[in-house]
Amino acid sequence: MDRCRLKHPIGSEKVALVSVADEQSRGWSERWSPLGGLVFAIVFILVYVTSGETGETAEEVIAYAEGNERELTVQAVTGLVAIPLLLWFVSGLHARVRRLESQTAPALVLAGGTGFALLLFTAVAIWSAPLLQFPGDADPTAAANAYLLIDDLGWVLLGGAGVAFAVMAVAASVAALRSAVVPAWLGWIGAVVGLAAAATILFVGILAWLAWTLLVSVLLLVRRA
């Protein structure tokens, strides 16, 4: 009995049993849900690096709307595609965290991830949708000035999306760290990077949630955890 305990510590046995049960209980959707996060992050990066600035004056907005119709269409479509991809990723992450030793983390992951997807989509829609058929029947200058007024709302929503993502990422990272399903250093890195995502109003925040999504997606696919 003592020898068995020396060779197989209680903590190791527990993690192994949890891993086996986890593998047997997962369905196809949950198993491959990290693909949602992976594809979303890659597509978002491609769109982000190829997007231009609308400008800060009515004349710049008018010029941007008239010369970037294809880019604006891509942004709008990306916003629509982001919702199912992100919700697929979040649902799979929530299902995994729900099997860990935490009572509040699953709810925080689900609420934070869903909030992130919806707020991000709304921000992208505010920035792209008004310019798709610009200026419509309105005066171009008046329409451009109206767009500049709602542009700030998009940034506020993006900031809220970052906070929601931080809630999800920190909750998932801490739960994984406490349950010892990942190395301690990896859990702490996930928590710190996730917390940095709260600063999405700055470029570093966007980098943080993209990095966290890519890291976790790849980790879950490789480890099938």
Side-chain angles (χ1 to χ4, degrees):
M1 186 70 174
D2 293 336
R3 292 179 180 177
C4 291
R5 287 182 177 175
L6 288 174
K7 292 182 180 180
H8 304 285
I10 293 177
S12 299
E13 290 180 356
K14 190 173 185 180
V15 172
L17 290 174
V18 170
S19 298
V20 172
D22 180 71
E23 180 67 26
Q24 293 176 345
S25 64
R26 284 182 290 144
W28 181 92
S29 179
E30 181 184 338
R31 183 177 296 112
W32 296 107
S33 61
L35 286 176
L38 188 64
V39 174
F40 160 74
I42 293 174
V43 171
F44 187 91
I45 291 172
L46 292 176
V47 172
Y48 188 87
V49 299
T50 57
S51 298
E53 295 289 338
T54 56
E56 299 181 356
T57 66
E59 291 75 15
E60 291 174 336
V61 171
I62 294 172
Y64 181 85
E66 293 176 347
N68 295 275
E69 294 182 5
R70 180 179 300 178
E71 178 181 314
L72 291 167
T73 302
V74 170
Q75 289 178 9
V77 172
T78 300
L80 291 173
V81 173
I83 289 183
L85 288 175
L86 281 172
L87 292 181
W88 186 24
F89 171 73
V90 171
S91 64
L93 185 62
H94 168 256
R96 287 171 169 85
V97 174
R98 190 172 53 187
R99 288 191 285 271
L100 301 180
E101 297 178 354
S102 177
Q103 295 181 345
T104 59
L108 292 175
V109 168
L110 185 60
T114 302
F116 171 72
L118 296 179
L119 289 171
L120 179 63
F121 167 75
T122 306
V124 172
I126 285 176
W127 288 325
S128 59
L131 301 181
L132 288 175
Q133 298 296 328
F134 187 88
D137 297 328
D139 175 73
T141 301
N145 286 325
Y147 175 83
L148 290 173
L149 290 176
I150 65 172
D151 178 68
D152 290 338
L153 176 60
W155 284 104
V156 172
L157 292 172
L158 182 65
V163 173
F165 187 95
V167 170
M168 175 189 70
V170 173
S173 299
V174 172
L177 182 62
R178 293 182 60 185
S179 300
V181 295
V182 296
W185 63 269
L186 186 58
W188 283 113
I189 288 178
V192 172
V193 174
L195 185 61
T200 294
I201 198 70
L202 304 175
F203 184 66
V204 65
I206 296 176
L207 287 179
W209 55 255
L210 283 173
W212 196 92
T213 302
L214 286 171
L215 175 63
V216 172
S217 298
V218 171
L219 180 63
L220 292 178
L221 286 173
V222 171
R223 297 185 60 181
R224 306 187 73 179

